[in-house]
Amino acid sequence: MEITKIYPPCWFAKMNNPILQLVICGGDLANAHVDIMGKPNLNYEIISNTNNCIVLNVDTSDVGFNTIYSLQLRRNGETVEKKYNFLPRRNRAIEALSMKDAIYLLMPDRFAITDSKNCLNRNVIDKNNPDCWHGGTLEGMKAHIGDIADMGFTAIWHTPVFENKQEVTNDTKYYSYHGYAITDFYEIDPHFGNIGDYCDFVDVAHKKGLKVIMDLVFNHSGIDHPFVKNPPVKDWFNDLGEGTCKLTNYSPLSAYDKYASEYDKEHFVRGWFTQDMPDLNLSNDIVLDYMTQMSIWWIETTGIDAFRIDTYPYAGVEYMQEWQRRLYAEYPQFPILSEAWVGETEYTAKMQGDNLAAIPESTMTFMDFAFQRRISETPIKNKAREIYSHFALDFIYKNSQNLLAFIDNHDVVRWLVKHPSVEGLKQAIGLLLTIPRIPQIYYGTEILMSGDGNGISDGNMRQDYPWNRPLTAEQQDFKAYICKLLKWRKGCKAITDGEMMHFVPFDGKVYVYFRYLRDNNGNVNYSNAVMIVVNFSEENKEVDLCRFKEMLSVCELWHDVIDNKVMLLNSMNSITIKANGIIILNSNKND
């Protein structure tokens, strides 16, 4: 007999759910007798026993803080033993994600490359190959936390840092530098560092006033996860092909399509994401418990502030809702950011509404792919109308302000590849940071990173951050622009807490909207209002202000946030906005 791993590696005393599921992994474990020795001895029930794994439900009701137990396996006079520790829980406040936040998304392998001695590089580093490991580390991320905080961000979302021990051969073109092919959900990949390095990263981020959002994957693991060959229960993974994988149909619409066949709905949830990413069977309660405890373990071990859930609907919405209930039993309203990659507003609204119906206390944030599609894919001649229409549909959301908006991320082509105009990017960022959403900006956007738009792989969208390269004057100017807006919006309650009023686009090209607060009587508070004018045409536009009388009649002095000048506006005059431009004006009623 041999014990090689125990999941979770340790646990925490006085959890609200006292039942701990232990998965004991090793060799020659069939029919072993289990004892959990300590004060008091713990009662347990074996719920699965194979030659490689024993699964127990253990009652921890009477376990004290910092208690070490002896877990023993005995059979035919042979005994193997492992120590198991129960630690005290963290005492912490939970703060939801909101419009007060501005999130910086980074990919650890590409963000800050170091030659850290703490990191073991299993694969050859090849910085010239966009699909290979490049050498980014947690140490490098930690070194640049100050840079992220100084720009004005409030949170860091990083793509997964779990062990991705993908075996690469001469015949294999697949690499797992991205972190989404996990081979151990309880370990940090040695390319990045270790758990101690990750805890240090979180601690430094907190000291700089930044939240940390950990990226979790519930839908699948990597093909080289040991449970693929030796699962704790036989149906740990979904396998629609009776021995050979059948890929998902990649149709999230199947989850809510009233006309969808049962075949399509099952195929969507149970199919593998890729041939290298086997599909986890969350309908099995043992698997769901394993993933729930994994989530709790990372919260308690590291002090992270939120989870981002990859491919949320692929895992099965009902199973993810049950996971959320179990998580909330320990951490009510713990922030969860979920990816549902569908470009229709109605789909995202349906997911949010169903989530709130199932879990009324939910603060789950969904990614606004419909906004990203409209701002990135719409031809410029239609863009003003499309953006206007997008926000005009906010009535179908239960909470439209609890959505994450972005112009690009690690899964889509960078903005400047599709729209090679710095002025256009300024406009998009200005819009992103003033709409009633939680904004997310992809790493390197602040220094105009673009990349190879002709690349055939995702790696072309995930370039190395050039920390050692001096910035050009254009890069410095753009970074200053982003920093100025981020720092301004932090102190502008009309943006971080306010409502929105918008107007049908002038001439089909110029979109005007206001952000504002109300006083205790429900009246508009003009002392802290913002006017945003966006010109989606390629020529200068003169905009008659008479249409905006209801917002301009009380306040006439406005401060240009970008150009730092005061403007006199009333419903009797007009304003000129340059081609592809944006004007952001803060009211100065008290000046």
Side-chain angles (χ1 to χ4, degrees):
M1 289 187 297
E2 179 187 20
I3 300 175
T4 55
K5 288 271 191 178
I6 301 177
Y7 299 111
C10 63
W11 200 236
F12 310 95
K14 309 306 178 186
M15 300 297 293
N16 293 328
N17 178 7
I19 303 302
L20 166 65
Q21 177 181 282
L22 283 182
V23 179
I24 305 168
C25 301
D28 192 24
L29 302 181
N31 302 315
H33 178 80
V34 182
D35 286 312
I36 306 175
M37 311 296 292
K39 294 184 179 180
N41 289 345
L42 301 183
N43 295 320
Y44 67 88
E45 175 189 8
I46 295 179
I47 56 176
S48 178
N49 189 342
T50 70
N51 199 50
N52 299 100
C53 296
I54 301 174
V55 183
L56 312 173
N57 276 345
V58 183
D59 187 348
T60 68
S61 301
D62 298 325
V63 169
F65 300 130
N66 289 318
T67 304
I68 299 176
Y69 279 80
S70 173
L71 192 154
Q72 296 180 354
L73 302 184
R74 293 185 289 107
R75 189 183 60 212
N76 299 329
E78 180 186 2
T79 301
V80 293
E81 178 182 5
K82 287 282 187 180
K83 300 297 182 184
Y84 197 83
N85 198 12
F86 287 88
L87 303 172
R89 294 187 63 175
R90 288 175 180 260
N91 183 15
R92 57 177 305 188
I94 302 297
E95 181 182 348
L97 295 173
S98 73
M99 292 193 299
K100 294 181 176 67
D101 288 302
I103 300 171
Y104 189 82
L105 165 60
L106 62 85
M107 179 161 276
D109 183 60
R110 306 298 164 90
F111 181 64
I113 295 172
T114 65
D115 295 321
S116 174
K117 295 179 180 178
N118 295 331
C119 304
L120 172 64
N121 293 316
R122 288 193 178 93
N123 304 336
V124 175
I125 299 295
D126 184 357
K127 297 177 184 178
N128 295 318
N129 183 344
D131 299 319
C132 195
W133 294 89
H134 285 196
T137 64
L138 289 165
E139 183 180 302
M141 288 164 56
K142 184 176 71 173
H144 292 288
I145 286 173
D147 298 289
I148 298 171
D150 289 346
M151 281 190 284
F153 289 95
T154 68
I156 298 172
W157 157 27
H158 62 77
T159 54
V161 291
F162 306 110
E163 181 190 272
N164 272 240
K165 193 170 61 175
Q166 181 74 23
E167 295 298 330
V168 179
T169 67
N170 292 333
D171 297 325
T172 303
K173 296 181 180 180
Y174 179 82
Y175 298 87
S176 53
Y177 68 90
H178 47 70
Y180 290 101
I182 298 167
T183 54
D184 192 331
F185 286 91
Y186 282 92
E187 290 286 354
I188 298 292
D189 194 280
H191 289 85
F192 303 134
N194 54 44
I195 290 176
D197 295 325
Y198 188 78
C199 290
D200 288 345
F201 162 73
V202 174
D203 288 344
V204 173
H206 287 170
K207 289 174 182 176
K208 291 289 186 179
L210 293 169
K211 301 172 185 175
V212 175
I213 304 171
M214 173 181 270
D215 205 321
L216 288 185
V217 185
F218 278 80
N219 180 63
H220 52 266
S221 75
I223 192 68
D224 289 314
H225 193 293
F227 288 177
V228 174
K229 291 182 178 179
N230 298 303
V233 291
K234 65 179 182 179
D235 59 344
W236 193 273
F237 296 96
N238 290 316
D239 189 353
L240 297 181
E242 298 181 356
T244 58
C245 77
K246 186 171 184 178
L247 299 181
T248 179
N249 56 22
Y250 304 104
S251 179
L253 288 172
S254 302
Y256 292 110
D257 179 3
K258 65 181 290 184
Y259 305 115
S261 65
E262 289 302 318
Y263 174 84
D264 283 343
K265 288 189 286 188
E266 183 180 32
H267 191 183
F268 167 63
V269 172
R270 292 175 57 86
W272 288 24
F273 201 68
T274 73
Q275 64 181 2
D276 298 299
M277 296 178 178
D279 195 75
L280 290 166
N281 178 19
L282 297 182
S283 69
N284 185 315
D285 207 56
I286 295 175
V287 181
L288 188 57
D289 264 348
Y290 180 89
M291 299 300 287
T292 302
Q293 290 182 169
M294 177 270 296
S295 313
I296 292 170
W297 188 86
W298 283 106
I299 293 173
E300 291 291 346
T301 300
T302 68
I304 52 171
D305 303 282
F307 289 129
R308 182 265 188 179
I309 306 302
D310 181 62
T311 56
Y312 176 87
Y314 285 80
V317 171
E318 65 270 38
Y319 311 130
M320 295 309 300
Q321 288 175 349
E322 179 57 26
W323 164 76
Q324 190 179 2
R325 291 187 193 97
R326 297 180 188 187
L327 186 71
Y328 276 12
E330 305 295 343
Y331 314 98
Q333 299 184 317
F334 188 83
I336 302 167
L337 167 61
S338 293
E339 178 198 41
W341 195 342
V342 177
E344 279 73 38
T345 297
E346 297 83 355
Y347 184 92
T348 309
K350 173 66 173 173
M351 293 200 73
Q352 185 190 70
D354 281 9
N355 185 258
L356 284 168
I359 308 167
E361 70 275 23
S362 174
T363 59
M364 182 176 283
T365 300
F366 287 96
M367 299 171 68
D368 192 351
F369 277 93
F371 171 77
Q372 191 275 334
R373 177 174 64 83
R374 281 180 164 90
I375 196 169
S376 180
E377 304 293 339
T378 305
I380 192 168
K381 65 179 181 179
N382 301 324
K383 189 164 292 189
R385 287 280 185 175
E386 283 291 308
I387 297 298
Y388 166 81
S389 299
H390 179 72
F391 291 109
L393 291 174
D394 271 6
F395 67 88
I396 68 176
Y397 289 106
K398 297 290 186 182
N399 183 359
S400 61
Q401 296 182 350
N402 191 30
L403 296 171
L404 180 123
F406 59 102
I407 63 171
D408 59 12
N409 64 16
H410 61 298
D411 286 326
V412 299
V413 175
R414 282 187 177 269
W415 178 271
L416 282 176
V417 173
K418 299 188 72 171
H419 311 279
S421 162
V422 173
E423 288 304 309
L425 181 56
K426 279 188 174 183
Q427 182 190 77
I429 291 294
L431 184 75
L432 179 67
L433 294 180
T434 53
I435 58 177
R437 296 289 192 269
I438 303 167
Q440 169 252 295
I441 293 177
Y442 189 31
Y443 79 96
T445 299
E446 69 275 15
I447 58 167
L448 304 176
M449 285 176 62
S450 56
D452 178 10
N454 297 317
I456 61 174
S457 72
D458 289 344
N460 295 89
M461 300 176 278
R462 304 162 178 174
Q463 302 89 346
D464 302 338
Y465 198 109
W467 287 107
N468 297 323
R469 188 183 307 159
L471 298 183
T472 65
E474 188 176 46
Q475 288 174 314
Q476 291 174 354
D477 174 73
F478 190 80
K479 186 174 182 181
Y481 171 80
I482 282 189
C483 292
K484 189 171 190 176
L485 285 182
L486 283 169
K487 292 174 181 179
W488 162 75
R489 84 181 296 278
K490 270 188 176 182
C492 183
K493 289 188 176 182
I495 298 295
T496 61
D497 297 280
E499 300 179 36
M500 177 176 174
M501 180 187 295
H502 68 171
F503 293 79
V504 175
F506 166 77
D507 195 24
K509 303 295 184 181
V510 179
Y511 179 47
V512 177
Y513 58 101
F514 291 80
R515 300 295 309 281
Y516 62 94
L517 296 168
R518 295 188 184 274
D519 61 24
N520 293 334
N521 297 318
N523 300 314
V524 175
N525 178 1
Y526 290 97
S527 64
N528 192 354
V530 181
M531 178 182 185
I532 301 97
V533 185
V534 190
N535 182 7
F536 286 111
S537 77
E538 296 181 349
E539 58 184 23
N540 295 348
K541 290 286 184 179
E542 185 175 353
V543 182
D544 189 336
L545 299 180
C546 65
R547 302 172 59 214
F548 316 122
K549 182 177 179 179
E550 59 195 290
M551 291 299 294
L552 297 177
S553 59
V554 177
C555 179
E556 293 189 339
L557 286 177
W558 295 77
H559 172 251
D560 190 315
V561 174
I562 299 170
D563 292 338
N564 199 31
K565 62 184 180 183
V566 174
M567 301 179 66
L568 178 65
L569 303 182
N570 60 57
S571 58
M572 302 299 292
N573 61 15
S574 62
I575 186 173
T576 300
I577 180 169
K578 65 183 180 180
N580 300 312
I582 184 168
I583 299 173
I584 302 172
L585 304 171
N586 213 150
S587 63
N588 276 317
K589 185 173 185 295
N590 297 324
D591 290 356

